[in-house]
Amino acid sequence: AVAGSTVELPCGAQGDPMPRVQWHKEHGDLPWGRHEVDQENTLHLHAVTPADAGTYVCTAQSQLGTAAATARLRV
């Protein structure tokens, strides 16, 4: 990604009942004040900087179990 741009990382979790989805960054925190998760569970990172580079993890959890997917961001 280009520094200063907005990055979207989708998380296609589905199920019945709908699983609870959480995003986190490995080895760090989500950028404070510059991230949001929409109703489709897509993580939006605004005005990315080189410090935002790393691996982001989407975790979906329901009573049936837990599934996770990762995305690597380079800035």
Side-chain angles (χ1 to χ4, degrees):
V2 177
S5 67
T6 296
V7 173
E8 296 180 358
L9 303 175
C11 183
Q14 298 177 342
D16 186 19
M18 190 66 172
R20 185 172 52 96
V21 173
Q22 291 184 307
W23 278 97
H24 73 273
K25 183 181 179 188
E26 283 186 353
H27 314 297
D29 297 319
L30 294 173
W32 191 83
R34 295 186 294 110
H35 79 275
E36 62 181 319
V37 179
D38 65 21
Q39 291 185 333
E40 284 79 43
N41 299 314
T42 298
L43 175 65
H44 300 264
L45 302 171
H46 302 286
V48 295
T49 69
D52 296 329
T55 301
Y56 291 81
V57 181
C58 168
T59 304
Q61 185 174 23
S62 74
Q63 61 258 42
L64 299 176
T66 301
T70 60
R72 182 164 292 146
L73 174 63
R74 283 187 261 185
V75 181

